[in-house]
């Protein structure tokens, strides 16, 4: 069974540990997956093939900003293939690959920091889903990331604005970081925004602030700062099943709803999405090869942009709040009419997961541009 990028906190009950394991030493460069100036997954090849509807392919190198004035602090999703309950501090190919897919594009606008952390592994989550006892410490990831963020703030930040970026388990850890280490504290003034993809962030129904985060509102414009963008993705053409893991509170939460903010249209409504799809077999090995992007074209670049193919809108569907993703398919043109990104088990789509594997990829260029715009707005307000 290959279920990757699973949500963390809803699947594991925290056991009691007599003495928590100490956090890693984040003064050690080996404790970081990505740091500025290092040769790492976030500084690798981010070149992109742009494939238009008529199959014209152009190359975009997506160069890194020369002297970015803001930072991005990225926490990766559940991808560790370690056989232990919690992962170790050595990056495996899946952790490297997901950083290349989800974090590297942001180097166009910011310095990227990404700590290694001892996340709950895929092996543990599979055991939990099959009803087996598990021994993971789900709080270990938060302790590690909190220590990494404290080290970053003390030694690297130097008054700069920072965008928090996470997906799935990474988003859950960052939400907890905001709750425990940021809201109500001086450091909150340096948070440009938080992008929490693939996670059920709760807000009061009809409101933009409250719920999981007490003082951090949802972002409703590209120049708003100190706010959060959160969404879970489903295809327009597939219903959100009653057993879906996303879009609805998983436990009794009277008056609460799952937040949805469309990265391409923060104020609401349907808008074109600008994806950067990964040109290989998914973000992690989910058994789903990348589609043939265009007939008669061989695409070799790490990323593929598909202008005009996707659109998205935050919608309430089947009593779930989701980013509903539509595909403007045209069988008469040579470009692909589909995208990969579904969770597959035994060759079959698992509909309860929606497009969880590509929550970030479906709007990656929108997110990168949003990071630039919000960063500029934060800098202007401080006269920088």
């Amino acid at each position: 069974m290959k279920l990757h990028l699973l949500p963390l906190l809803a699947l594991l009950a925290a056991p009691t540990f007599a003495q928590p394991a100490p956090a890693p030493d984040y003064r050690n460069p080996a404790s970081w997956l990505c740091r500025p100036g290092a040769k790492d997954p976030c500084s690798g090849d981010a070149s992109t093939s742009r494939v238009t509807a008529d199959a014209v392919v152009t190359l975009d190198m997506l160069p890194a900003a020369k002297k970015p004035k803001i930072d991005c602090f990225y926490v990766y999703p559940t991808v560790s293939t370690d056989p232990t309950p919690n992962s170790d501090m050595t990056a495996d190919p899946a952790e490297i690959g997901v950083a290349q897919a989800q974090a590297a594009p942001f180097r166009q606008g910011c310095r990227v920091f990404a700590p290694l952390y001892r996340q709950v592994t895929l092996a543990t989550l599979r055991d939990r889903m099959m009803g087996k006892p598990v021994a993971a410490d789900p709080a270990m990831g938060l302790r590690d990331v909190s220590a990494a963020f404290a080290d970053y703030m003390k030694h690297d930040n130097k008054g700069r604005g920072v965008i928090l970026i996470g997906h799935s388990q990474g988003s859950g850890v960052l939400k907890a970081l905001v709750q425990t280490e940021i809201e109500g504290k001086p450091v909150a003034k340096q948070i440009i925004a938080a992008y929490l993809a693939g996670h059920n962030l709760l807000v009061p129904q009809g409101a933009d602030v409250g719920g999981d985060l007490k003082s951090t509102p949802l972002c409703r414009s590209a120049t708003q700062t100190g706010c959060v963008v959160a969404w879970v993705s489903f295809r327009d053409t597939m219903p959100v099943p009653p057993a879906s893991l996303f879009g609805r509170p998983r436990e009794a939460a009277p008056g609460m709803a799952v937040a949805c903010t469309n990265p391409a249209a923060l104020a609401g409504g349907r808008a074109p999405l600008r994806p950067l799809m990964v040109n290989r077999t998914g973000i992690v090995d989910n058994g789903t090869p990348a589609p043939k992007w265009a007939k008669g074209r061989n695409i070799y670049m790490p990323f593929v942009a598909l202008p005009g193919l996707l659109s998205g809108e935050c919608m309430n569907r089947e009593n779930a709040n989701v980013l509903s993703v539509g595909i403007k398919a045209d069988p008469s043109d040579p470009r692909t009419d589909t995208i990969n990104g579904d969770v597959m088990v035994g060759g079959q789509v698992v509909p309860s997961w929606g497009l969880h594997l590509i929550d970030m990829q479906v709007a990656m260029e929108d997110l990168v541009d949003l990071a630039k715009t919000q960063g500029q707005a934060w800098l202007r307000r401080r006269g920088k």
Side-chain angles (χ1 to χ4, degrees):
M1 183 167 91
K2 294 180 178 179
L3 286 180
H4 293 246
L5 302 179
L6 310 185
L8 168 66
L9 299 179
L11 295 178
L12 292 176
T16 300
F17 290 86
Q19 184 167 350
D25 176 14
Y26 287 100
R27 285 289 74 215
N28 182 351
S31 295
W32 293 85
L33 184 58
C34 297
R35 282 185 62 86
K39 187 175 181 180
D40 56 39
C42 301
S43 64
D45 187 3
S47 52
T48 297
S49 293
R50 298 190 180 277
V51 184
T52 58
D54 57 2
V56 171
V57 180
T58 57
L59 177 64
D60 190 337
M61 299 305 294
L62 298 186
K66 291 185 177 180
K67 292 184 178 181
K69 295 183 178 181
I70 65 170
D71 293 342
C72 290
F73 188 90
Y74 166 72
V75 182
Y76 50 88
T78 314
V79 293
S80 173
T81 57
D82 293 342
T84 50
N86 287 84
S87 64
D88 58 26
M89 290 291 290
T90 300
D92 64 22
E95 290 161 333
I96 292 169
V98 78
Q100 292 170 333
Q102 294 184 341
F106 284 96
R107 70 187 186 177
Q108 297 170 77
C110 58
R111 300 191 305 175
V112 180
F113 293 80
L116 288 164
Y117 72 107
R118 292 169 296 178
Q119 67 171 214
V120 175
T121 61
L122 292 169
T124 295
L125 295 181
R126 283 195 293 267
D127 286 347
R128 179 67 179 87
M129 292 183 72
M130 291 186 288
K132 297 180 180 179
V134 297
D137 178 359
M140 185 181 288
L142 175 59
R143 292 196 298 272
D144 288 0
V145 171
S146 294
F149 187 72
D151 184 90
Y152 156 76
M153 290 300 302
K154 181 177 180 180
H155 297 284
D156 298 294
N157 179 269
K158 303 185 187 306
R160 295 162 65 95
V162 57
I163 298 174
L164 307 177
I165 302 170
H167 182 225
S168 194
Q169 182 173 168
S171 291
V173 170
L174 283 175
K175 179 180 76 174
L177 180 76
V178 174
Q179 290 170 327
T180 59
E181 305 295 336
I182 293 174
E183 285 194 323
K185 299 181 180 180
V187 68
K189 295 179 180 180
Q190 289 173 249
I191 303 301
I192 298 171
Y195 303 160
L196 306 183
H199 180 78
N200 287 341
L201 177 73
L202 299 187
V203 294
Q205 292 181 6
D208 285 348
V209 67
D212 282 341
L213 302 180
K214 304 307 180 186
S215 59
T216 308
L218 303 182
C219 297
R220 292 304 183 189
S221 81
T223 56
Q224 182 182 358
T225 58
C227 56
V228 61
V229 181
W231 71 100
V232 297
S233 308
F234 278 78
R235 294 180 187 266
D236 272 352
T237 54
M238 296 188 70
V240 184
S244 171
L245 297 167
F246 305 103
R248 307 182 190 92
R250 285 190 287 267
E251 297 178 356
M256 292 291 170
V258 171
C260 185
T261 43
N262 181 354
L266 297 175
R270 183 165 288 271
L273 297 174
R274 293 184 295 152
L276 279 182
M277 304 301 292
V278 179
N279 190 24
R280 53 185 168 85
T281 305
I283 294 175
V284 291
D285 178 16
N286 192 49
T288 309
K292 180 71 175 178
W293 302 111
K295 297 175 184 176
R297 298 287 187 273
N298 292 319
I299 307 297
Y300 300 106
M301 298 300 103
F303 291 97
V304 178
L306 302 163
L309 183 65
L310 303 185
S311 66
E313 181 177 6
C314 281
M315 302 175 66
N316 185 274
R317 295 174 41 201
E318 294 84 36
N319 295 315
N321 289 338
V322 301
L323 180 64
S324 194
V325 178
I327 302 177
K328 189 178 180 181
D330 184 351
S332 67
D333 70 37
R335 188 170 65 173
T336 181
D337 293 327
T338 188
I339 55 172
N340 56 339
D342 304 282
V343 169
M344 308 284 289
V345 174
Q348 300 296 315
V349 172
V350 183
S352 59
W353 293 88
L355 289 173
H356 186 61
L357 298 183
I358 56 170
D359 284 313
M360 290 188 67
Q361 304 311 131
V362 295
M364 180 58 77
E365 290 202 289
D366 298 294
L367 287 166
V368 171
D369 278 357
L370 179 60
K372 293 177 183 178
T373 302
Q374 288 183 307
Q376 291 165 0
W378 185 91
L379 290 165
R380 282 196 305 271
R381 291 183 183 120
R382 285 150 184 81
K384 297 184 179 183

